[in-house]
Amino acid sequence: MRYFVELSYNGGRYCGWQRQRDAASVQETLERALSTLLREPVEVTGAGRTDTGVHAAYAVAHFDVAAPLTDPEHTVYKLNCLLPDDVAVFGVAPVADDAHARFSAAEREYRYFIESRKNPFTRRAAWHYYRPLDVERMDRAAASLLEYDDFTSFAKLNSNNKTNICRIVRAGWEESPEGVYRFTIRADRFLRNMVRALVGTLVDVGRGRYDVEEFRTIVESRDLSRASGGAPAEGLYLWDVAYPAGVFRRGERTRNLLFN
């Protein structure tokens, strides 16, 4: 039987989602806990492959087991007892055998957080950037992304992508009264390092290095060398994964734990 598992994690001490031979990964950590609990080898497939240091406020993965789980809610409780403090499971639910955490996903959403003042409680949870930023101009540049579908300018080299085409349905910046800048971007798929490269370039728009038309030129150039350096990993969160209603519906107990 196939199950979807909903989880969140702080990526600070992990090499990313994907299993690596010589470093701790979220995938391996979850597989070890499931295998121990279910007393059989378990492999998990995630909805996305976050990079080193990137967090997930909400993520989804699937796994297969030989026999049905007798009590999925108790499975969640036991999993959380086995998992380290920086990985939490919200729910485990049966799905169709052909439901796939990665390929069945319709949309994914990432959010990036920038602190404009020194804050000891978020120093590993946001990019601390103290230069003034023009959020309105950053927001206008971000909105222009919906007019494009080729994001080669923000694709990491040698990623072996079959295509650099992505359909962005939402992109924009907001500033909270406390001085936290939040970038939200939602699309059917993302390229490796794409969001961090976008944020780094949009911050350069906000500090006056580029205007909005120059940002458009960077997107249209399809040239990674034109983009700015990627923003730090600690500010980036996988925030949502959405599926068609017939595949999977997000559980009611899930909620984002930080930066609403």
Side-chain angles (χ1 to χ4, degrees):
M1 284 197 65
R2 177 157 294 185
Y3 288 84
F4 271 20
V5 54
E6 300 171 285
L7 70 152
S8 65
Y9 53 86
N10 183 313
R13 74 179 186 93
Y14 297 102
C15 66
W17 165 265
Q18 192 170 8
R19 189 189 311 107
Q20 301 290 334
R21 185 172 296 179
D22 56 355
S25 69
V26 181
Q27 181 184 26
E28 180 186 18
T29 301
L30 181 58
E31 287 177 340
R32 187 185 306 117
L34 280 165
S35 298
T36 299
L37 178 61
L38 303 178
R39 300 181 181 181
E40 63 179 272
V42 176
E43 294 185 2
V44 300
T45 299
R49 299 174 181 177
T50 51
D51 291 334
T52 299
V54 174
H55 315 295
Y58 179 77
V60 179
H62 76 249
F63 65 92
D64 297 325
V65 287
L69 302 179
T70 56
D71 188 344
E73 285 197 17
H74 197 54
T75 299
V76 171
Y77 171 77
K78 288 185 175 180
L79 271 179
N80 282 320
C81 292
L82 290 169
L83 288 165
D85 291 342
D86 49 13
V87 181
V89 169
F90 298 125
V92 174
V95 294
D97 290 343
D98 60 350
H100 197 285
R102 181 181 178 189
F103 298 129
S104 297
E107 293 179 345
R108 297 164 178 83
E109 180 174 301
Y110 281 88
R111 293 189 182 183
Y112 195 96
F113 296 90
I114 298 176
E115 279 269 19
S116 62
R117 61 181 181 176
K118 190 173 183 180
N119 183 343
F121 299 106
T122 62
R123 64 190 184 92
R124 292 191 177 92
W127 181 11
H128 283 202
Y129 187 90
Y130 307 132
R131 297 180 64 173
L133 295 173
D134 186 332
V135 179
E136 189 275 334
R137 185 161 63 176
M138 293 161 63
D139 189 53
R140 285 193 286 116
S144 72
L145 293 170
L146 277 67
E147 302 172 23
Y148 300 96
D149 59 10
D150 190 323
F151 294 97
T152 301
S153 294
F154 307 99
K156 191 169 185 177
L157 293 175
N158 303 317
S159 294
N160 298 318
N161 298 319
K162 293 182 179 179
T163 175
N164 290 332
I165 301 299
C166 305
R167 183 180 60 87
I168 295 178
V169 297
R170 179 186 178 190
W173 286 89
E174 299 172 275
E175 181 180 5
S176 76
E178 296 76 27
V180 176
Y181 303 109
R182 181 179 74 191
F183 176 59
T184 301
I185 184 166
R186 193 175 184 94
D188 61 342
R189 64 188 293 266
F190 289 92
L191 310 174
R192 186 179 179 190
N193 207 50
M194 174 179 165
V195 180
R196 290 169 61 189
L198 278 170
V199 170
T201 309
L202 287 165
V203 164
D204 276 347
V205 172
R207 69 183 183 91
R209 181 180 179 184
Y210 307 122
D211 60 28
V212 175
E213 290 306 313
E214 288 172 318
F215 177 77
R216 286 177 175 271
T217 301
I218 292 171
V219 179
E220 293 167 2
S221 72
R222 301 178 184 177
D223 181 355
L224 178 61
S225 68
R226 297 284 303 277
S228 303
E234 60 263 25
L236 181 60
Y237 294 74
L238 174 59
W239 202 258
D240 189 26
V241 185
Y243 296 87
V247 175
F248 182 69
R249 189 179 298 276
R250 181 171 175 162
E252 294 181 359
R253 294 183 180 180
T254 64
R255 62 186 178 89
N256 297 315
L257 304 177
L258 187 66
F259 294 124
N260 289 315

